[in-house]
Short mmCIF file of all heavy atoms in Angstrom, two decimals:
data_model
loop_
_atom_site.label_atom_id
_atom_site.label_comp_id
_atom_site.label_asym_id
_atom_site.label_seq_id
_atom_site.Cartn_x
_atom_site.Cartn_y
_atom_site.Cartn_z
N PHE A 1 100.43 99.67 102.14
CA PHE A 1 100.20 101.09 101.99
C PHE A 1 98.93 101.54 102.70
O PHE A 1 97.97 100.79 102.81
CB PHE A 1 100.06 101.47 100.52
CG PHE A 1 101.36 101.50 99.76
CD1 PHE A 1 101.55 100.68 98.66
CD2 PHE A 1 102.38 102.36 100.13
CE1 PHE A 1 102.73 100.71 97.95
CE2 PHE A 1 103.57 102.39 99.42
CZ PHE A 1 103.74 101.57 98.33
N MET A 2 98.95 102.78 103.13
CA MET A 2 97.73 103.46 103.51
C MET A 2 97.34 104.37 102.36
O MET A 2 98.16 105.16 101.87
CB MET A 2 97.91 104.28 104.79
CG MET A 2 96.67 105.12 105.14
SD MET A 2 96.79 105.89 106.77
CE MET A 2 96.35 104.50 107.81
N LEU A 3 96.10 104.25 101.90
CA LEU A 3 95.58 105.13 100.86
C LEU A 3 94.84 106.29 101.53
O LEU A 3 94.58 106.28 102.73
CB LEU A 3 94.61 104.35 99.96
CG LEU A 3 95.13 103.03 99.38
CD1 LEU A 3 94.02 102.35 98.57
CD2 LEU A 3 96.36 103.26 98.51
N VAL A 4 94.50 107.29 100.75
CA VAL A 4 93.66 108.37 101.26
C VAL A 4 92.56 108.62 100.24
O VAL A 4 92.84 108.87 99.06
CB VAL A 4 94.47 109.64 101.56
CG1 VAL A 4 95.22 110.14 100.33
CG2 VAL A 4 93.58 110.73 102.13
N ASP A 5 91.32 108.47 100.67
CA ASP A 5 90.16 108.60 99.79
C ASP A 5 90.31 107.74 98.55
O ASP A 5 89.95 108.13 97.44
CB ASP A 5 89.94 110.07 99.40
CG ASP A 5 89.56 110.93 100.60
OD1 ASP A 5 88.81 110.42 101.46
OD2 ASP A 5 90.02 112.07 100.68
N GLY A 6 90.87 106.55 98.73
CA GLY A 6 91.00 105.58 97.65
C GLY A 6 92.21 105.75 96.76
O GLY A 6 92.44 104.94 95.86
N GLY A 7 93.01 106.79 96.98
CA GLY A 7 94.18 107.04 96.14
C GLY A 7 95.47 107.01 96.93
O GLY A 7 95.49 106.82 98.14
N LYS A 8 96.57 107.22 96.23
CA LYS A 8 97.89 107.18 96.84
C LYS A 8 98.07 108.33 97.82
O LYS A 8 97.63 109.45 97.57
CB LYS A 8 98.97 107.24 95.76
CG LYS A 8 100.40 107.19 96.30
CD LYS A 8 101.42 107.28 95.17
CE LYS A 8 102.84 107.26 95.71
NZ LYS A 8 103.85 107.39 94.63
N MET A 9 98.71 108.05 98.94
CA MET A 9 99.06 109.07 99.91
C MET A 9 100.55 109.38 99.79
O MET A 9 101.37 108.47 99.85
CB MET A 9 98.73 108.61 101.34
CG MET A 9 99.19 109.58 102.43
SD MET A 9 98.91 108.94 104.11
CE MET A 9 97.12 108.95 104.18
N SER A 10 100.90 110.63 99.59
CA SER A 10 102.32 110.98 99.52
C SER A 10 102.48 112.47 99.76
O SER A 10 101.57 113.27 99.50
CB SER A 10 102.93 110.61 98.16
OG SER A 10 102.45 111.47 97.15
N LYS A 11 103.68 112.84 100.24
CA LYS A 11 103.97 114.25 100.47
C LYS A 11 103.91 115.04 99.18
O LYS A 11 103.47 116.19 99.16
CB LYS A 11 105.34 114.40 101.13
CG LYS A 11 105.45 113.85 102.55
CD LYS A 11 106.81 114.14 103.15
CE LYS A 11 106.91 113.66 104.60
NZ LYS A 11 107.05 112.20 104.69
N SER A 12 104.35 114.42 98.07
CA SER A 12 104.37 115.13 96.79
C SER A 12 102.95 115.47 96.31
O SER A 12 102.75 116.48 95.63
CB SER A 12 105.09 114.29 95.73
OG SER A 12 104.41 113.07 95.50
N LEU A 13 101.97 114.66 96.69
CA LEU A 13 100.58 114.92 96.30
C LEU A 13 99.87 115.85 97.28
O LEU A 13 98.72 116.24 97.06
CB LEU A 13 99.81 113.60 96.18
CG LEU A 13 100.28 112.63 95.09
CD1 LEU A 13 99.50 111.32 95.16
CD2 LEU A 13 100.10 113.26 93.71
N LYS A 14 100.54 116.16 98.38
CA LYS A 14 100.01 117.07 99.40
C LYS A 14 98.66 116.59 99.96
O LYS A 14 97.74 117.38 100.19
CB LYS A 14 99.89 118.49 98.83
CG LYS A 14 101.22 119.09 98.42
CD LYS A 14 101.08 120.50 97.88
CE LYS A 14 102.45 121.06 97.49
NZ LYS A 14 102.34 122.45 96.96
N ASN A 15 98.56 115.27 100.15
CA ASN A 15 97.33 114.72 100.71
C ASN A 15 97.63 113.87 101.95
O ASN A 15 96.98 112.88 102.22
CB ASN A 15 96.57 113.89 99.68
CG ASN A 15 97.35 112.66 99.21
OD1 ASN A 15 98.53 112.49 99.54
ND2 ASN A 15 96.71 111.81 98.43
N THR A 16 98.66 114.30 102.68
CA THR A 16 99.04 113.58 103.89
C THR A 16 98.57 114.34 105.13
O THR A 16 98.29 115.55 105.06
CB THR A 16 100.57 113.41 103.98
OG1 THR A 16 101.19 114.71 104.04
CG2 THR A 16 101.10 112.68 102.75
N TYR A 17 98.50 113.61 106.25
CA TYR A 17 98.13 114.23 107.51
C TYR A 17 99.12 113.79 108.58
O TYR A 17 99.65 112.67 108.53
CB TYR A 17 96.71 113.82 107.93
CG TYR A 17 95.65 114.19 106.92
CD1 TYR A 17 95.19 113.27 105.99
CD2 TYR A 17 95.12 115.48 106.89
CE1 TYR A 17 94.22 113.60 105.06
CE2 TYR A 17 94.15 115.83 105.97
CZ TYR A 17 93.71 114.89 105.05
OH TYR A 17 92.76 115.24 104.12
N THR A 18 99.37 114.66 109.53
CA THR A 18 100.22 114.33 110.66
C THR A 18 99.35 114.04 111.88
O THR A 18 98.14 114.32 111.89
CB THR A 18 101.17 115.49 111.00
OG1 THR A 18 100.39 116.63 111.41
CG2 THR A 18 102.02 115.86 109.78
N VAL A 19 99.96 113.52 112.93
CA VAL A 19 99.23 113.27 114.17
C VAL A 19 98.69 114.58 114.74
O VAL A 19 97.54 114.65 115.21
CB VAL A 19 100.14 112.57 115.20
CG1 VAL A 19 99.45 112.50 116.57
CG2 VAL A 19 100.48 111.16 114.73
N ASP A 20 99.48 115.63 114.67
CA ASP A 20 99.03 116.93 115.16
C ASP A 20 97.78 117.41 114.42
O ASP A 20 96.86 117.98 115.02
CB ASP A 20 100.14 117.98 115.02
CG ASP A 20 101.16 117.89 116.15
OD1 ASP A 20 100.79 117.41 117.24
OD2 ASP A 20 102.32 118.29 115.94
N GLN A 21 97.75 117.18 113.10
CA GLN A 21 96.59 117.60 112.33
C GLN A 21 95.34 116.80 112.71
O GLN A 21 94.23 117.35 112.73
CB GLN A 21 96.88 117.47 110.84
CG GLN A 21 97.86 118.52 110.33
CD GLN A 21 98.29 118.28 108.90
OE1 GLN A 21 98.49 117.14 108.48
NE2 GLN A 21 98.44 119.35 108.13
N LEU A 22 95.50 115.50 113.02
CA LEU A 22 94.37 114.71 113.48
C LEU A 22 93.86 115.22 114.82
O LEU A 22 92.65 115.31 115.05
CB LEU A 22 94.75 113.24 113.59
CG LEU A 22 95.08 112.49 112.30
CD1 LEU A 22 95.31 111.01 112.59
CD2 LEU A 22 93.96 112.64 111.27
N ILE A 23 94.79 115.57 115.70
CA ILE A 23 94.39 116.11 117.01
C ILE A 23 93.62 117.41 116.84
O ILE A 23 92.61 117.65 117.51
CB ILE A 23 95.64 116.31 117.89
CG1 ILE A 23 96.25 114.94 118.26
CG2 ILE A 23 95.29 117.08 119.16
CD1 ILE A 23 97.58 115.03 118.98
N GLU A 24 94.08 118.27 115.91
CA GLU A 24 93.39 119.54 115.65
C GLU A 24 91.96 119.31 115.18
O GLU A 24 91.08 120.14 115.41
CB GLU A 24 94.16 120.34 114.60
CG GLU A 24 95.49 120.90 115.10
CD GLU A 24 96.32 121.50 113.98
OE1 GLU A 24 95.84 121.51 112.82
OE2 GLU A 24 97.45 121.94 114.25
N LYS A 25 91.72 118.16 114.52
CA LYS A 25 90.39 117.85 114.00
C LYS A 25 89.53 117.11 115.03
O LYS A 25 88.42 116.67 114.73
CB LYS A 25 90.50 117.02 112.72
CG LYS A 25 91.06 117.82 111.54
CD LYS A 25 91.14 116.96 110.30
CE LYS A 25 91.69 117.75 109.11
NZ LYS A 25 90.74 118.81 108.67
N GLY A 26 90.06 116.94 116.24
CA GLY A 26 89.26 116.37 117.32
C GLY A 26 89.46 114.89 117.58
O GLY A 26 88.70 114.30 118.35
N TYR A 27 90.47 114.28 116.96
CA TYR A 27 90.74 112.86 117.17
C TYR A 27 91.92 112.70 118.12
O TYR A 27 92.86 113.51 118.11
CB TYR A 27 91.06 112.17 115.85
CG TYR A 27 90.00 112.34 114.79
CD1 TYR A 27 90.22 113.20 113.71
CD2 TYR A 27 88.78 111.67 114.86
CE1 TYR A 27 89.26 113.39 112.73
CE2 TYR A 27 87.81 111.85 113.88
CZ TYR A 27 88.05 112.71 112.82
OH TYR A 27 87.10 112.90 111.86
N SER A 28 91.90 111.64 118.88
CA SER A 28 93.06 111.32 119.70
C SER A 28 94.01 110.43 118.89
O SER A 28 93.57 109.75 117.95
CB SER A 28 92.63 110.59 120.98
OG SER A 28 92.32 109.23 120.69
N PRO A 29 95.30 110.40 119.24
CA PRO A 29 96.22 109.49 118.56
C PRO A 29 95.75 108.03 118.62
O PRO A 29 95.94 107.28 117.67
CB PRO A 29 97.54 109.70 119.30
CG PRO A 29 97.46 111.10 119.78
CD PRO A 29 96.02 111.30 120.17
N LEU A 30 95.11 107.65 119.74
CA LEU A 30 94.66 106.26 119.86
C LEU A 30 93.42 105.99 119.01
O LEU A 30 93.15 104.83 118.67
CB LEU A 30 94.40 105.90 121.32
CG LEU A 30 95.64 105.86 122.21
CD1 LEU A 30 95.31 105.27 123.57
CD2 LEU A 30 96.79 105.08 121.56
N ASP A 31 92.68 107.02 118.65
CA ASP A 31 91.61 106.83 117.66
C ASP A 31 92.23 106.36 116.34
O ASP A 31 91.69 105.47 115.67
CB ASP A 31 90.85 108.13 117.42
CG ASP A 31 90.01 108.57 118.61
OD1 ASP A 31 89.65 107.70 119.44
OD2 ASP A 31 89.71 109.78 118.70
N PHE A 32 93.36 106.97 115.97
CA PHE A 32 94.04 106.57 114.73
C PHE A 32 94.63 105.17 114.87
O PHE A 32 94.56 104.37 113.94
CB PHE A 32 95.14 107.57 114.37
CG PHE A 32 95.93 107.14 113.16
CD1 PHE A 32 95.35 107.12 111.90
CD2 PHE A 32 97.25 106.74 113.29
CE1 PHE A 32 96.07 106.71 110.79
CE2 PHE A 32 97.98 106.34 112.19
CZ PHE A 32 97.39 106.33 110.93
#
């Protein structure tokens, strides 16, 4: 699993990110 801030990551918890969202925050896909 990948966690987020130490907890579960899931669509139902609304704490997921997409590649597009990472790009919007200034990261490249290869950074991820």
Side-chain angles (χ1 to χ4, degrees):
F1 284 120
M2 174 172 280
L3 308 177
V4 58
D5 294 322
K8 181 181 179 182
M9 175 184 292
S10 71
K11 293 184 177 75
S12 62
L13 296 175
K14 298 181 180 180
N15 63 353
T16 62
Y17 301 97
T18 64
V19 171
D20 280 334
Q21 288 172 322
L22 293 185
I23 292 173
E24 289 171 2
K25 291 180 180 292
Y27 305 106
S28 77
L30 293 189
D31 291 337
F32 176 68

